[in-house]
Structure formats: C-alpha cells, structure tokens
Amino acid sequence: MVTLDKPIAVGRRSRRSVPGRPPWMGRPSPTVQALKVAAIAMIVVVMLYPFLYVIAFSFADADSVTSGAPLPTSFSTAAYESIFAGGVVTRSLLVTAGITVVGTVLSLIFTSMLAYGLTRTRRVPFARATMVYVLCTMFFGAGIIPNYLLIKQLGLLDSYWSLILPGLISAFNMIVMRNFFMELPEELLESARIDGASEFRIFRTIVLPLSKAVIAVIGLFYAVGYWNSFFNALIYINDTAKWPIQLVLNQYVVQSNSLSALQAPDQPAPPTQAVQMAIVVVATLPILVVYPFAQRFFAKGVLTGAIKG
C-alpha cells in the first residue's frame, strides 16, 4: 500500500489548474483582469470622444468655436434651428427615410424569396446555376459607366428607384439568409407538404415566422446601406430637391460648399463648424438609435446563417 505524507486538499484547486480545461477558460489573475479593464476603458474613451466632440460642437455658440477649447463651454441650439428652418435638411431626411423604408422592405421580400428558392435545388429548375450566377456578382461588377448607361436607358435618372433597384438584392445577405433557411427542420416542411400546403404558403406561414432573427439582422444591414448610400445619388440624381441626407452631408460638410443654402435667410448665421457638426449628428443619430434594438438578434441571426454543419 502506498501512503502519502501530505493529504490532498480537495476543493481548493484553482480553476487554472483543472486538468483538461483550456487555458483561455481559466480565471485570469487580478493583474490580468486590471489590465483588461484598463485596456477596455481606454478603447471606450478613444471611441466615444469623437462622438462627444461632434455632438458638443453641434450645440456650440460662436464664442466656444473661436476659443479653440477642446470642448465648448457654452451651448446654443442655433445650428439645429437654422438647418431645420432652411428646409433642405428636413426634406433630405424625409427622402432618405422613404428610400430606406421602401428599399429595406423590398430587399427583404426579394432576398428572402430568392434565398428560399435556392434552398429547393431539387424542386426549382436551374437553382444551382442561379446560385453560381448570384455568387459571381460578389466578385465581378459592370463598373460605373455601364451602370449609368443602364439606369439612363431604363429612364431612371432623377428617380428614387435609381437609389433602390441597383442594390435590391445583396449576394452576401442572400447567402446568409439561405444558410439560415437550410438549418430549418426539413421534417417540418415535409409535413406541411403532405398536408397539401404549397411552397409559397410554407414560406409565408412556416419559414418566415421561424426566421425572425435573420430577417431582423439582414433588414438592419439593408437599412444601414440605404441610409448611408450617397454615391448612387451623386451619379443618378441631378435634382437637388431629391438629394438624400448623406449627399447633403457630403456636399456641405466633406466638400465644404457654402452653407447658405441650408439655412433660413431671415435668421443670423450660426458658426460654420456648429452647422456642419449638426448635419453630421442628424445624419448619424437614426442609425445609432436603431442599432441597440436589433443587436440582440446578431448572434443568432448571423452565426446560424453563416455557419453550416
């Protein structure tokens, strides 16, 4: 019999010494935890400071702008009152909101229908060939001039449809949604077919209600894309009354065009920097408000749709 000089201390073993446990799953030391907290706090400060700077100077008055201080010390709403009274920013916000809502709804409808059709490779003719064709669009594009000539030939210049139809279906979003549909139980769909349900009814009453997570994520992707798009408007829209907010932001903030067209003529002009920062806040705030509500769908929607097996 083998005897031990010292008893084994059961239950006092640290998580770091548990055999078979990966090192990254062990509890870090207090020093490592403190370093992680400091690093995360530094990253948060670096990421939040530009937002705080933009928001603060959008409310700055003339004295705060000319003082050269890192943040304004006195605040005013004159910049927001000026751009909303001018009418250009308000109209461009309505245009962008309409394009985003209509474009997102249509993109979700057509993307989900195409994705579900491409999961039925045995029932849909030329499904595999269509899948290859869609994948090719991820790597090859026609270019600016052919796209412009196509939009012109279709009579869509100066039309809101020129900002929606070219990006109606994203190949990447379609692939993510298709993979999510393929994870649905095939037995559930087959039982519906045995009961006499058509493919469209299966898609509408079974597939879509079970796919709310991926629909929310893909819908957010489309909405952000439509809201932030300005290049198509720059090429296809010549009427300034139809400019979306991002094109207004590009022309009057990035290109530094005269801000007189954005402001009411009967009001004193606020500082130029405050007006520019106010336009940035107005163009960014709606997406920042929507993101937290859709964030809880990200893990389930994206991971389930992107990983097969």
Side-chain angles (χ1 to χ4, degrees), residues 90-295:
T90 305
R91 184 173 59 248
S92 63
L93 281 174
L94 293 177
V95 170
T96 303
I99 292 172
T100 301
V101 172
V102 175
T104 302
V105 171
L106 292 179
S107 293
L108 284 176
I109 292 174
F110 285 96
T111 302
S112 59
M113 293 176 66
L114 177 61
Y116 179 72
L118 293 181
T119 60
R120 313 291 99 190
T121 55
R122 297 181 181 180
R123 296 175 178 268
V124 178
F126 308 108
R128 296 185 182 275
T130 305
M131 185 65 184
V132 174
Y133 175 77
V134 172
L135 291 176
C136 289
T137 62
M138 296 181 60
F139 307 103
F140 304 100
I144 298 176
I145 296 178
N147 286 331
Y148 178 84
L149 295 177
L150 176 62
I151 295 297
K152 181 180 180 181
Q153 194 69 23
L154 294 175
L156 297 179
L157 291 180
D158 270 340
S159 172
Y160 294 133
W161 291 111
S162 64
L163 308 181
I164 297 176
L165 294 181
L168 191 63
I169 297 179
S170 169
F172 174 79
N173 293 339
M174 189 279 298
I175 292 173
V176 173
M177 190 171 289
R178 175 181 178 269
N179 289 343
F180 188 96
F181 290 162
M182 295 180 68
E183 293 291 333
L184 298 178
E186 184 64 26
E187 295 79 6
L188 180 62
L189 306 182
E190 286 295 337
S191 63
R193 293 191 187 97
I194 294 174
D195 292 337
S198 63
E199 289 293 338
F200 181 75
R201 185 175 181 182
I202 294 173
F203 171 72
R204 180 173 55 88
T205 60
I206 298 178
V207 174
L208 291 182
L210 294 176
S211 307
K212 293 180 180 179
V214 71
I215 290 175
V217 173
I218 299 302
L220 182 61
F221 288 166
Y222 275 124
V224 171
Y226 282 116
W227 185 273
N228 291 331
S229 176
F230 81 95
F231 190 70
N232 285 347
L234 182 65
I235 298 176
Y236 305 136
I237 304 297
N238 297 320
D239 187 359
T240 57
K242 297 181 179 180
W243 279 4
I245 186 62
Q246 299 300 335
L247 186 53
V248 173
L249 176 65
N250 177 72
Q251 294 294 319
Y252 294 100
V253 177
V254 179
Q255 304 296 333
S256 299
N257 292 350
S258 176
L259 299 175
S260 58
L262 302 181
Q263 304 169 7
D266 56 345
Q267 292 184 356
T272 301
Q273 185 179 4
V275 175
Q276 291 177 336
M277 296 300 104
I279 298 174
V280 173
V281 172
V282 169
T284 309
L285 187 60
I287 296 300
L288 294 180
V289 172
V290 172
Y291 251 109
F293 294 99
Q295 186 179 7

